[in-house]
Amino acid sequence: MNGKKNNLKVCLAASAGGHLTQLLQLWPSWENYEVFYVTTGENIKGRIDKPGRVYTVEECNRKNPVKLARVFFRCMKIALRERPDVVISTGAASGALMSYLCKMLGAKIVWMDSITNTQRLSLSGRLVRPIADLILTQWQDIAEKYPKVEYAGQVI
């Protein structure tokens, strides 16, 4: 490419660790777009070696509703500030929250379930499936179990 950025703004939302690692494996897919990240853990900021703003939120899940509420409001603030055109997420909870919040703002949602989910879609993937524009699994068997879920190969 000629190095020019496309006007499309992409939110890459993934928990630190394996979720983020899988997402970053696909960097060439969005390197020519304006990108920002939403991930967990302050210590991850300096470890993302790709261009784009990095926002961090707490790790959360349904078992801690207070923490989940804090992450929800932090994600809402990020979504309203950035207003992405597309959200691409590998999970988990913060990726699902960004997907729902940004969908309400008109974003397209691409969910790629983690490779570790070998038997069924993750809880976050199942929650996002009704609003997602594209859901990908890294296992052919899982794609056959769920409507609107596609298999396109494995990332790692």
Side-chain angles (χ1 to χ4, degrees):
M1 292 241 157
N2 61 9
K4 266 181 98 172
K5 292 283 183 188
N6 185 306
N7 288 335
L8 199 66
K9 186 185 274 192
V10 179
C11 169
L12 302 172
S15 298
H19 292 283
L20 185 59
T21 299
Q22 289 175 65
L23 194 57
L24 291 175
Q25 293 292 318
L26 300 171
W27 172 254
S29 300
W30 49 73
E31 68 181 332
N32 292 308
Y33 301 106
E34 182 182 351
V35 172
F36 70 94
Y37 304 85
V38 177
T39 190
T40 56
E42 276 295 317
N43 63 340
I44 203 72
K45 274 188 176 180
R47 295 180 29 214
I48 296 177
D49 64 349
K50 309 292 187 216
R53 291 170 301 290
V54 179
Y55 297 95
T56 58
V57 298
E58 293 178 82
E59 193 68 58
C60 67
N61 60 47
R62 68 186 184 277
K63 295 177 184 174
N64 188 331
V66 172
K67 196 181 280 190
L68 188 62
R70 281 196 309 258
V71 173
F72 172 83
F73 287 112
R74 172 84 170 124
C75 286
M76 183 187 304
K77 185 176 177 182
I78 296 165
L80 290 169
R81 177 184 299 145
E82 292 287 351
R83 297 188 177 268
D85 300 298
V86 177
V87 175
I88 303 172
S89 182
T90 51
S94 57
L97 290 171
M98 284 302 294
S99 294
Y100 267 92
L101 290 164
C102 293
K103 185 68 170 187
M104 289 189 292
L105 296 172
K108 298 290 185 187
I109 308 301
V110 177
W111 185 271
M112 184 180 70
D113 222 39
S114 172
I115 197 167
T116 61
N117 299 311
T118 62
Q119 302 298 314
R120 65 181 184 165
L121 282 178
S122 64
L123 174 59
S124 295
R126 293 190 311 270
L127 291 172
V128 169
R129 190 169 64 111
I131 61 136
D133 297 284
L134 176 63
I135 296 222
L136 300 171
T137 177
Q138 298 183 60
W139 299 101
Q140 182 68 45
D141 293 349
I142 293 175
E144 293 168 2
K145 286 182 185 179
Y146 296 92
K148 197 179 163 186
V149 175
E150 298 178 30
Y151 170 76
Q154 295 180 349
V155 174
I156 294 179

